[in-house]
Amino acid sequence: MNVLAIGCHPDDIEITCAGTLAKYVKQGHNVTVCHVANGDLGHVEIMPPELRVMRAQEAINAGALAGIKVITCDIGDVQVYSDNRTQRDKVVDAIRSTQPDLIFTHSPDDYMPDHTAVSKLVFDASFAASVPHYQSSVMTPAKVTPIYYMDTLAGVGFQPEEYVDITDEIDLKISMLECHISQLKWMREHDNIDFAEFVKTTARFRGLQCGVGYAEAFRPCRMYERVVPARLLP
């Protein structure tokens, strides 16, 4: 299968579904991660132009650990809008280029406006990408794709319907997260938050819910043409 995870910022995918994506790679599937925003406002001291470059490389480094291809729409932080045609077409191009069999993205009820905007962009773009004469830079149509919504930060307000056992992938997931040095270092030194521990604790909590060591949680988009009679999660 071709698997596409579309997150907002570099590190969002590592937080929510990197273990699942690593499991797909181990099973021989093709996995691509697309970041819609470039994370350029994600630091107090590092200026946006420098941080944009740093975070792009951190994301590539993280993906390389698991054999995952990483691409970006390169939109500035707090500038993601679900009703923006140019931004939607960037997501359309990402979908048409990867021809996914399923897509992971943020929950429509996530905590940050950029995240909820990405969720809506992905839903809209994944339909537009299937229309043969819809004009974008990539003109090869994709099929209407099942969508799985990823867990929210700390699982707040998210009721899982499906789980993936990532007990064998938890160390790799955390190593991928640690590649995002600009974020984790700042939080440890200035906010007194060990974000890797935070994410691992959430995975342990989801594991307890489904009877395994560590897990990631998802909810499928249950709409016409998005539901298929097969389990797509690994």
Side-chain angles (χ1 to χ4, degrees), residues 127-153:
F127 183 84
S130 73
V131 179
H133 297 298
Y134 182 82
Q135 297 292 315
S136 73
S137 296
V138 179
M139 285 302 297
T140 304
K143 60 187 176 184
V144 177
T145 310
I147 294 173
Y148 282 82
Y149 294 122
M150 308 178 299
D151 210 346
T152 57
L153 193 63

Side-chain angles (χ1 to χ4, degrees), residues 11-181:
D11 80 3
D12 284 336
I13 294 300
E14 283 73 23
I15 294 167
T16 53
C17 70
T20 298
L21 300 184
K23 197 160 192 167
Y24 276 121
V25 174
K26 288 180 181 179
Q27 294 176 353
H29 302 293
N30 301 310
V31 178
T32 301
V33 165
C34 175
H35 302 113
V36 175
N38 55 32
D40 63 343
L41 301 184
H43 206 282
V44 176
E45 296 179 352
I46 303 173
M47 291 296 99
E50 179 184 358
L51 187 61
R52 169 180 169 270
V53 175
M54 288 178 62
R55 297 199 69 182
Q57 187 59 56
E58 289 170 351
I60 291 170
N61 294 344
L65 291 182
I68 293 170
K69 180 181 178 181
V70 177
I71 60 177
T72 180
C73 296
D74 199 22
I75 297 165
D77 281 3
V78 202
Q79 297 183 53
V80 181
Y81 304 106
S82 61
D83 58 353
N84 183 295
R85 167 70 188 267
T86 299
Q87 294 182 12
R88 183 178 68 186
D89 286 354
K90 288 185 176 184
V91 180
V92 167
D93 289 341
I95 293 170
R96 285 178 165 179
S97 296
T98 55
Q99 294 290 308
D101 295 291
L102 75 158
I103 296 174
F104 293 95
T105 196
H106 294 288
S107 166
D109 303 315
D110 212 342
Y111 79 109
M112 185 186 295
D114 278 359
H115 289 196
T116 57
V118 167
S119 182
K120 185 66 162 57
L121 275 174
V122 170
F123 182 85
D124 293 349
S126 63
F127 183 84
S130 73
V131 179
H133 297 298
Y134 182 82
Q135 297 292 315
S136 73
S137 296
V138 179
M139 285 302 297
T140 304
K143 60 187 176 184
V144 177
T145 310
I147 294 173
Y148 282 82
Y149 294 122
M150 308 178 299
D151 210 346
T152 57
L153 193 63
V156 176
F158 188 86
Q159 183 58 50
E161 294 185 29
E162 301 213 33
Y163 297 86
V164 174
D165 180 357
I166 61 161
T167 305
D168 292 340
E169 292 77 30
I170 186 62
D171 291 338
L172 176 55
K173 173 186 174 76
I174 299 304
S175 294
M176 293 171 70
L177 183 63
E178 290 282 4
C179 287
H180 297 273
I181 298 168

